[in-house]
Amino acid sequence: MTDGRGAYDVIVVGAGFAGVTAARDLGAGGRSVLVLEARDRLGGRTWYRPFSTTTQWVEIGGTWVAPRWQPHIGREIERYGMDIVESPAPERFAWSLAGDRSSSPLPIPVGEWLDFERAIVHIDTSAARIRFGEAPIDQKGLEDLDVPFEDWLDGVQIPGKTRDFLLAWVGFFFGNHPSQVSALHILSWVAGFENSAIGWYVGVSEKLGKGTGALIEAMSDDSNAEIRLGSPVRSIEDGGDVVRVTSRGGDSYSASAVVLASPLNTWSDISFSPALSEAKAAAAAEKHAGQSVKVWALVKNVEGNFYGVGWDTVLKWVATEYTVAEGSLLVGFGCSPDDLDVTNPDEVARAIKEFLPDAEVVATDAHDWNADEFSQGTWMAYRPGQVMRFATALQEPEGRLTFAGSDLASGWAGWIDGAIESGSRAAREVELILAGTAATVTATR
């Protein structure tokens, strides 16, 4: 359906879960949709592919889902009949905390249990202040939480192993040092797990049986959208009645509205006319802090399903995800590309051996998301102070341009669920624009 102002009703920039959700929802309303994707594949910062030397497929990017707490991904799983599988239950442990290494099933010694409980209660009660999912998390009265998580945690005054365990947990889940991530964003995840840090700890265990690729392909097939891969966008020009989108290759397309669904950290590479709002331009220039390093390693001499967490180690989290004929496939996360070059097998092997000294690392595999020009980082991690300055502003439509992406979610910012949430919201905002009621979009938020 076109209205004479553009060749398409809508152009969606980006074919990750947010962009594909927006395209699918708009297509269901009878809109003509063009999706422009810079990469040669769907999925954005998710990527399901075979491990380099085996036939086992692994998630190079986003992996876990939690449908009990994440309604948007839960609905998509049910809609498309996707199977859910559990990550292996740990059988063998290693902890490297406060200068000490142990293999106990529990990371915290008995002597620190009361301090650990006190820290968890502080985290949970603080998270309960957040109205999770109802609105962006820059909610009035939460300003005191939009500070470095490490500083916020140190206000509790907890002993070494408890402190290191909590810092490591934040480090590998947010992909940066806890001094560089807002406590408010971290606490919002706890709020999403029913105000339970322990729920967060035990709740991240489910993944799609056929991978993220199967779900996004199903959603894409359902969209009826025209999808052009290998089409990075150079400029977006909103002329008032029509929006013109030009690719780096010089191809130009027009539509009545546009959904920008590329990662926040890439927005500065696109020329906007008129310019983005001051808040969006500032957020794009500052970038969010997510810079996780994720590696896969095929290892031998590992008995049972391994699970390790360390704060004084290069990788902060290492676990067995698959057992194959050639050995064990371990996945690991660190919180800085300065600590580990994921493309260097020797560096990855040394990082694995910090946890498993006797393991034989046969092969490694990874993608450098931080060096990838179409992501320039990993999942959303608000820097201290960014939540209160940007969370609402990043979602607000501008003219005939709307915004989507996991980075911009009200609820699960950084998760697939957040991408789907934001894609659906952007599609609803586009419908208002196409109905000639753009002025009501902000008023109804």
Side-chain angles (χ1 to χ4, degrees):
M1 179 189 302
T2 59
D3 59 7
R5 293 181 295 180
Y8 300 90
D9 289 325
V10 189
I11 295 173
V12 176
V13 179
F17 273 95
V20 168
T21 298
R24 192 265 318 267
D25 290 0
L26 288 162
R31 303 298 185 180
S32 61
V33 182
L34 170 67
V35 178
L36 298 177
E37 167 54 44
R39 307 179 192 277
D40 60 0
R41 58 174 181 82
L42 303 176
R45 287 170 289 183
T46 64
W47 191 4
Y48 192 57
R49 73 182 194 196
F51 179 84
S52 60
T53 62
T54 75
T55 58
Q56 177 64 54
W57 286 57
V58 298
E59 298 284 6
I60 297 296
T63 303
W64 289 279
V65 297
R68 171 179 167 180
W69 297 278
Q70 298 176 340
H72 303 283
I73 187 66
R75 283 193 292 269
E76 301 300 335
I77 289 169
E78 182 176 359
R79 177 174 182 168
Y80 294 104
M82 295 287 149
D83 294 330
I84 294 293
V85 297
E86 289 272 350
S87 291
E91 300 169 330
R92 177 183 174 189
F93 301 87
W95 316 102
S96 187
L97 305 168
D100 183 43
R101 181 182 172 85
S102 71
S103 57
S104 166
L106 297 174
I108 307 301
V110 173
E112 293 189 16
W113 281 9
L114 289 177
D115 294 297
F116 180 68
E117 180 185 44
R118 181 164 52 87
I120 293 298
V121 168
H122 181 60
I123 290 170
D124 292 352
T125 54
S126 298
R129 296 167 53 190
I130 301 169
R131 302 191 318 275
F132 183 81
E134 297 178 19
I137 58 174
D138 53 345
Q139 297 159 17
K140 186 177 181 180
L142 300 180
E143 293 84 356
D144 60 306
L145 302 179
D146 196 11
V147 297
F149 179 82
E150 185 174 24
D151 294 351
W152 180 85
L153 182 66
D154 284 346
V156 188
Q157 297 182 339
I158 51 179
K161 288 189 177 180
T162 295
R163 180 181 185 274
D164 277 10
F165 178 70
L166 294 173
L167 292 180
W169 192 246
V170 166
F172 65 70
F173 257 112
F174 281 84
N176 207 320
H177 192 281
S179 65
Q180 302 300 311
V181 184
S182 169
L184 178 51
H185 188 194
I186 292 164
L187 292 168
S188 76
W189 286 17
V190 177
F193 281 103
E194 300 177 60
N195 303 317
S196 171
I198 298 300
W200 175 21
Y201 183 73
V202 301
V204 184
S205 62
E206 295 181 321
K207 54 191 178 183
L208 296 166
K210 295 182 180 179
T212 53
L215 178 56
I216 202 163
E217 287 285 352
M219 295 172 70
S220 173
D221 291 345
D222 209 14
S223 72
N224 296 315
E226 179 183 345
I227 299 176
R228 299 194 181 188
L229 303 177
S231 299
V233 166
R234 182 180 69 201
S235 64
I236 299 175
E237 182 180 359
D238 184 351
D241 293 326
V242 64
V243 186
R244 186 166 300 279
V245 179
T246 303
S247 73
R248 291 185 190 175
D251 296 319
S252 186
Y253 311 93
S254 61
S256 298
V258 167
V259 177
L260 178 61
S262 61
L264 169 64
N265 284 1
T266 68
W267 289 4
S268 292
D269 293 340
I270 301 173
S271 174
F272 295 91
S273 178
L276 292 179
S277 67
E278 183 178 347
K280 287 190 180 73
E286 291 178 21
K287 303 185 183 301
H288 69 73
Q291 57 172 21
S292 177
V293 291
K294 179 180 183 180
V295 297
W296 287 89
L298 175 64
V299 302
K300 294 182 178 179
N301 304 329
V302 175
E303 295 182 3
N305 296 324
F306 177 76
Y307 184 93
V309 171
W311 183 234
D312 52 4
T313 49
V314 171
L315 294 172
K316 310 307 179 187
W317 187 86
V318 176
T320 302
E321 275 297 309
Y322 302 100
T323 300
V324 296
E326 299 90 339
S328 299
L329 272 172
L330 307 182
V331 63
F333 292 86
C335 61
S336 174
D338 294 333
D339 296 338
L340 178 65
D341 177 359
V342 299
T343 67
N344 186 321
D346 292 336
E347 287 193 24
V348 174
R350 284 194 294 271
I352 295 292
K353 285 176 174 290
E354 286 189 287
F355 288 94
L356 293 161
D358 298 328
E360 178 188 351
V361 180
V362 178
T364 68
D365 197 4
H367 179 68
D368 189 343
W369 296 99
N370 296 295
D372 185 327
E373 65 172 322
F374 302 128
S375 58
Q376 299 182 39
T378 51
W379 57 92
M380 183 61 166
Y382 278 103
R383 299 181 189 277
Q386 285 187 331
V387 175
M388 300 307 296
R389 293 165 59 207
F390 300 139
T392 292
L394 288 174
Q395 294 185 6
E396 292 174 344
E398 298 188 11
R400 292 185 169 271
L401 180 58
T402 68
F403 300 83
S406 178
D407 299 344
L408 317 184
S410 292
W412 293 101
W415 295 72
I416 297 171
D417 185 88
I420 295 168
E421 172 214 309
S422 72
S424 292
R425 183 191 66 247
R428 294 192 299 270
E429 292 167 343
V430 164
E431 289 293 355
L432 291 174
I433 292 171
L434 297 182
T437 56
T440 69
V441 173
T442 300
T444 58
R445 294 179 65 79

mmCIF file with all atom_site columns, all heavy atoms in Angstrom, residues 398-410:
data_model
loop_
_atom_site.group_PDB
_atom_site.id
_atom_site.type_symbol
_atom_site.label_atom_id
_atom_site.label_alt_id
_atom_site.label_comp_id
_atom_site.label_asym_id
_atom_site.label_entity_id
_atom_site.label_seq_id
_atom_site.pdbx_PDB_ins_code
_atom_site.Cartn_x
_atom_site.Cartn_y
_atom_site.Cartn_z
_atom_site.occupancy
_atom_site.B_iso_or_equiv
_atom_site.pdbx_formal_charge
_atom_site.auth_seq_id
_atom_site.auth_comp_id
_atom_site.auth_asym_id
_atom_site.auth_atom_id
_atom_site.pdbx_PDB_model_num
ATOM 1  N N   . GLU A 1 398 ? 10.680 11.264 15.753 1.00 0.00 ? 398 GLU A N   1
ATOM 2  C CA  . GLU A 1 398 ? 11.051 12.595 15.260 1.00 0.00 ? 398 GLU A CA  1
ATOM 3  C C   . GLU A 1 398 ? 10.553 12.724 13.833 1.00 0.00 ? 398 GLU A C   1
ATOM 4  O O   . GLU A 1 398 ? 11.071 12.067 12.930 1.00 0.00 ? 398 GLU A O   1
ATOM 5  C CB  . GLU A 1 398 ? 12.563 12.794 15.350 1.00 0.00 ? 398 GLU A CB  1
ATOM 6  C CG  . GLU A 1 398 ? 13.080 12.719 16.786 1.00 0.00 ? 398 GLU A CG  1
ATOM 7  C CD  . GLU A 1 398 ? 14.551 13.093 16.925 1.00 0.00 ? 398 GLU A CD  1
ATOM 8  O OE1 . GLU A 1 398 ? 15.123 13.612 15.951 1.00 0.00 ? 398 GLU A OE1 1
ATOM 9  O OE2 . GLU A 1 398 ? 15.112 12.870 18.009 1.00 0.00 ? 398 GLU A OE2 1
ATOM 10 N N   . GLY A 1 399 ? 9.551  13.563 13.642 1.00 0.00 ? 399 GLY A N   1
ATOM 11 C CA  . GLY A 1 399 ? 8.955  13.693 12.318 1.00 0.00 ? 399 GLY A CA  1
ATOM 12 C C   . GLY A 1 399 ? 8.375  12.369 11.870 1.00 0.00 ? 399 GLY A C   1
ATOM 13 O O   . GLY A 1 399 ? 7.533  11.782 12.545 1.00 0.00 ? 399 GLY A O   1
ATOM 14 N N   . ARG A 1 400 ? 8.833  11.890 10.736 1.00 0.00 ? 400 ARG A N   1
ATOM 15 C CA  . ARG A 1 400 ? 8.368  10.611 10.198 1.00 0.00 ? 400 ARG A CA  1
ATOM 16 C C   . ARG A 1 400 ? 9.345  9.474  10.490 1.00 0.00 ? 400 ARG A C   1
ATOM 17 O O   . ARG A 1 400 ? 9.279  8.420  9.867  1.00 0.00 ? 400 ARG A O   1
ATOM 18 C CB  . ARG A 1 400 ? 8.115  10.741 8.691  1.00 0.00 ? 400 ARG A CB  1
ATOM 19 C CG  . ARG A 1 400 ? 6.942  11.651 8.388  1.00 0.00 ? 400 ARG A CG  1
ATOM 20 C CD  . ARG A 1 400 ? 6.590  11.720 6.917  1.00 0.00 ? 400 ARG A CD  1
ATOM 21 N NE  . ARG A 1 400 ? 5.303  12.409 6.786  1.00 0.00 ? 400 ARG A NE  1
ATOM 22 C CZ  . ARG A 1 400 ? 4.128  11.802 6.824  1.00 0.00 ? 400 ARG A CZ  1
ATOM 23 N NH1 . ARG A 1 400 ? 4.078  10.486 6.957  1.00 0.00 ? 400 ARG A NH1 1
ATOM 24 N NH2 . ARG A 1 400 ? 3.001  12.480 6.717  1.00 0.00 ? 400 ARG A NH2 1
ATOM 25 N N   . LEU A 1 401 ? 10.200 9.701  11.459 1.00 0.00 ? 401 LEU A N   1
ATOM 26 C CA  . LEU A 1 401 ? 11.213 8.709  11.824 1.00 0.00 ? 401 LEU A CA  1
ATOM 27 C C   . LEU A 1 401 ? 10.912 8.165  13.215 1.00 0.00 ? 401 LEU A C   1
ATOM 28 O O   . LEU A 1 401 ? 10.745 8.933  14.166 1.00 0.00 ? 401 LEU A O   1
ATOM 29 C CB  . LEU A 1 401 ? 12.600 9.372  11.803 1.00 0.00 ? 401 LEU A CB  1
ATOM 30 C CG  . LEU A 1 401 ? 13.816 8.517  12.143 1.00 0.00 ? 401 LEU A CG  1
ATOM 31 C CD1 . LEU A 1 401 ? 13.940 7.331  11.207 1.00 0.00 ? 401 LEU A CD1 1
ATOM 32 C CD2 . LEU A 1 401 ? 15.074 9.380  12.090 1.00 0.00 ? 401 LEU A CD2 1
ATOM 33 N N   . THR A 1 402 ? 10.825 6.846  13.342 1.00 0.00 ? 402 THR A N   1
ATOM 34 C CA  . THR A 1 402 ? 10.663 6.205  14.637 1.00 0.00 ? 402 THR A CA  1
ATOM 35 C C   . THR A 1 402 ? 11.895 5.337  14.918 1.00 0.00 ? 402 THR A C   1
ATOM 36 O O   . THR A 1 402 ? 12.678 5.039  14.012 1.00 0.00 ? 402 THR A O   1
ATOM 37 C CB  . THR A 1 402 ? 9.395  5.338  14.707 1.00 0.00 ? 402 THR A CB  1
ATOM 38 O OG1 . THR A 1 402 ? 9.544  4.197  13.851 1.00 0.00 ? 402 THR A OG1 1
ATOM 39 C CG2 . THR A 1 402 ? 8.166  6.135  14.284 1.00 0.00 ? 402 THR A CG2 1
ATOM 40 N N   . PHE A 1 403 ? 12.031 4.912  16.176 1.00 0.00 ? 403 PHE A N   1
ATOM 41 C CA  . PHE A 1 403 ? 13.274 4.277  16.612 1.00 0.00 ? 403 PHE A CA  1
ATOM 42 C C   . PHE A 1 403 ? 12.973 2.968  17.330 1.00 0.00 ? 403 PHE A C   1
ATOM 43 O O   . PHE A 1 403 ? 12.038 2.885  18.143 1.00 0.00 ? 403 PHE A O   1
ATOM 44 C CB  . PHE A 1 403 ? 14.049 5.221  17.535 1.00 0.00 ? 403 PHE A CB  1
ATOM 45 C CG  . PHE A 1 403 ? 14.405 6.527  16.868 1.00 0.00 ? 403 PHE A CG  1
ATOM 46 C CD1 . PHE A 1 403 ? 13.481 7.569  16.817 1.00 0.00 ? 403 PHE A CD1 1
ATOM 47 C CD2 . PHE A 1 403 ? 15.633 6.695  16.254 1.00 0.00 ? 403 PHE A CD2 1
ATOM 48 C CE1 . PHE A 1 403 ? 13.790 8.766  16.177 1.00 0.00 ? 403 PHE A CE1 1
ATOM 49 C CE2 . PHE A 1 403 ? 15.954 7.890  15.606 1.00 0.00 ? 403 PHE A CE2 1
ATOM 50 C CZ  . PHE A 1 403 ? 15.026 8.921  15.570 1.00 0.00 ? 403 PHE A CZ  1
ATOM 51 N N   . ALA A 1 404 ? 13.785 1.959  17.040 1.00 0.00 ? 404 ALA A N   1
ATOM 52 C CA  . ALA A 1 404 ? 13.601 0.648  17.652 1.00 0.00 ? 404 ALA A CA  1
ATOM 53 C C   . ALA A 1 404 ? 14.964 0.028  17.916 1.00 0.00 ? 404 ALA A C   1
ATOM 54 O O   . ALA A 1 404 ? 15.991 0.487  17.419 1.00 0.00 ? 404 ALA A O   1
ATOM 55 C CB  . ALA A 1 404 ? 12.764 -0.264 16.749 1.00 0.00 ? 404 ALA A CB  1
ATOM 56 N N   . GLY A 1 405 ? 14.955 -1.036 18.688 1.00 0.00 ? 405 GLY A N   1
ATOM 57 C CA  . GLY A 1 405 ? 16.188 -1.750 19.000 1.00 0.00 ? 405 GLY A CA  1
ATOM 58 C C   . GLY A 1 405 ? 16.204 -2.142 20.466 1.00 0.00 ? 405 GLY A C   1
ATOM 59 O O   . GLY A 1 405 ? 15.638 -1.449 21.313 1.00 0.00 ? 405 GLY A O   1
ATOM 60 N N   . SER A 1 406 ? 16.855 -3.238 20.759 1.00 0.00 ? 406 SER A N   1
ATOM 61 C CA  . SER A 1 406 ? 16.968 -3.678 22.142 1.00 0.00 ? 406 SER A CA  1
ATOM 62 C C   . SER A 1 406 ? 17.579 -2.599 23.024 1.00 0.00 ? 406 SER A C   1
ATOM 63 O O   . SER A 1 406 ? 17.249 -2.497 24.212 1.00 0.00 ? 406 SER A O   1
ATOM 64 C CB  . SER A 1 406 ? 17.816 -4.949 22.208 1.00 0.00 ? 406 SER A CB  1
ATOM 65 O OG  . SER A 1 406 ? 17.984 -5.381 23.526 1.00 0.00 ? 406 SER A OG  1
ATOM 66 N N   . ASP A 1 407 ? 18.459 -1.764 22.456 1.00 0.00 ? 407 ASP A N   1
ATOM 67 C CA  . ASP A 1 407 ? 19.083 -0.688 23.225 1.00 0.00 ? 407 ASP A CA  1
ATOM 68 C C   . ASP A 1 407 ? 18.047 0.273  23.799 1.00 0.00 ? 407 ASP A C   1
ATOM 69 O O   . ASP A 1 407 ? 18.314 0.959  24.796 1.00 0.00 ? 407 ASP A O   1
ATOM 70 C CB  . ASP A 1 407 ? 20.046 0.118  22.341 1.00 0.00 ? 407 ASP A CB  1
ATOM 71 C CG  . ASP A 1 407 ? 21.184 -0.720 21.776 1.00 0.00 ? 407 ASP A CG  1
ATOM 72 O OD1 . ASP A 1 407 ? 21.421 -1.824 22.290 1.00 0.00 ? 407 ASP A OD1 1
ATOM 73 O OD2 . ASP A 1 407 ? 21.832 -0.259 20.820 1.00 0.00 ? 407 ASP A OD2 1
ATOM 74 N N   . LEU A 1 408 ? 16.875 0.352  23.167 1.00 0.00 ? 408 LEU A N   1
ATOM 75 C CA  . LEU A 1 408 ? 15.894 1.377  23.497 1.00 0.00 ? 408 LEU A CA  1
ATOM 76 C C   . LEU A 1 408 ? 14.694 0.839  24.270 1.00 0.00 ? 408 LEU A C   1
ATOM 77 O O   . LEU A 1 408 ? 13.711 1.557  24.460 1.00 0.00 ? 408 LEU A O   1
ATOM 78 C CB  . LEU A 1 408 ? 15.373 2.038  22.208 1.00 0.00 ? 408 LEU A CB  1
ATOM 79 C CG  . LEU A 1 408 ? 16.391 2.384  21.125 1.00 0.00 ? 408 LEU A CG  1
ATOM 80 C CD1 . LEU A 1 408 ? 15.702 3.102  19.978 1.00 0.00 ? 408 LEU A CD1 1
ATOM 81 C CD2 . LEU A 1 408 ? 17.523 3.223  21.686 1.00 0.00 ? 408 LEU A CD2 1
ATOM 82 N N   . ALA A 1 409 ? 14.763 -0.393 24.734 1.00 0.00 ? 409 ALA A N   1
ATOM 83 C CA  . ALA A 1 409 ? 13.606 -1.012 25.376 1.00 0.00 ? 409 ALA A CA  1
ATOM 84 C C   . ALA A 1 409 ? 13.296 -0.364 26.714 1.00 0.00 ? 409 ALA A C   1
ATOM 85 O O   . ALA A 1 409 ? 14.188 0.082  27.436 1.00 0.00 ? 409 ALA A O   1
ATOM 86 C CB  . ALA A 1 409 ? 13.855 -2.504 25.563 1.00 0.00 ? 409 ALA A CB  1
ATOM 87 N N   . SER A 1 410 ? 12.006 -0.335 27.063 1.00 0.00 ? 410 SER A N   1
ATOM 88 C CA  . SER A 1 410 ? 11.599 0.109  28.390 1.00 0.00 ? 410 SER A CA  1
ATOM 89 C C   . SER A 1 410 ? 11.895 -0.963 29.426 1.00 0.00 ? 410 SER A C   1
ATOM 90 O O   . SER A 1 410 ? 12.265 -0.658 30.558 1.00 0.00 ? 410 SER A O   1
ATOM 91 C CB  . SER A 1 410 ? 10.101 0.435  28.400 1.00 0.00 ? 410 SER A CB  1
ATOM 92 O OG  . SER A 1 410 ? 9.831  1.573  27.621 1.00 0.00 ? 410 SER A OG  1
#
